[in-house]
Structures are given as structure tokens and as C-alpha cells.
Amino acid sequence: MSNHAPHKCKRRIVDPMYLVHYRQYKIKDSDEPWKIYFKGWNNHVLDKKTARNFDKTEKLLGKRVADYCREHNISSMWSDKTSEKKKVTYPW
């Protein structure tokens, strides 16, 4: 397998819907593992609620993104409807 790995990688974000099939069994039920389409970010500083689902954010978007969300009280939003899917961005 390593013989077929690319020598260079682009710094593009991999759409989580491709990763979820490999990580779904690790995402907690409370984080709704069936919702695989990225919908956007919810900045809870504005609504004064507490951000959640950091575990799912970390598994699908990486530790750096999840740590930023924890620090800034931001939640990733997900849907099970393709019509609500948006291009993945970073929360910063």
C-alpha cells in the first residue's frame, strides 16, 4: 500500500463524508453518526449556549480543528440530507 501513496499532498480539506465510513463506528451515538454531511459552524458565543460534539469534529476534521472549537465555543453542524451539505471550511 505504501508503494502507491502519493509523494506530495495538497493542503485541501478532505470531505468528511468520505472519511465517515472509516470512522463511523467510533463516533458516539450522542454525536449522531448517521449525519455525515457538513452543514457549517455554530458560534455559541453569540447565543450563549455551550458547544458540543467535539469528539465527532475531531474524528472527521482533526484535532487542531476540534481544539480550536473547544477554545472558542464553536460546534460543527451536520445533516443526514445531501440538500443541506455545504463545502467544508475551517472555523477560523
Side-chain angles (χ1 to χ4, degrees):
M1 184 167 142
S2 64
N3 291 336
H4 299 287
H7 296 287
K8 290 184 178 182
C9 296
K10 295 181 180 175
R11 298 189 56 85
R12 281 192 316 225
I13 301 171
V14 175
D15 193 315
M17 76 174 213
Y18 298 112
L19 299 174
V20 77
H21 301 293
Y22 302 101
R23 309 250 169 112
Q24 192 165 15
Y25 70 95
K26 295 179 182 179
I27 298 171
K28 299 182 291 188
D29 283 342
S30 61
D31 283 345
E32 304 170 320
W34 59 91
K35 293 186 175 182
I36 64 170
Y37 302 108
F38 180 77
K39 208 169 126 175
W41 300 104
N42 192 353
N43 186 337
H44 291 292
V45 170
L46 304 174
D47 64 16
K48 297 184 178 24
K49 294 182 181 177
T50 302
R52 59 182 186 86
N53 79 352
F54 301 120
D55 184 59
K56 183 174 187 174
T57 302
E58 186 167 331
K59 285 187 172 64
L60 296 179
L61 298 172
K63 182 168 174 32
R64 181 175 169 216
V65 174
D67 287 346
Y68 182 89
C69 289
R70 286 182 189 100
E71 185 179 331
H72 293 90
N73 198 29
I74 297 171
S75 290
S76 57
M77 297 185 301
W78 303 88
S79 177
D80 57 349
K81 299 175 181 82
T82 56
S83 61
E84 295 181 347
K85 178 185 172 194
K86 294 190 175 157
K87 183 180 178 197
V88 181
T89 61
Y90 290 119
W92 45 81

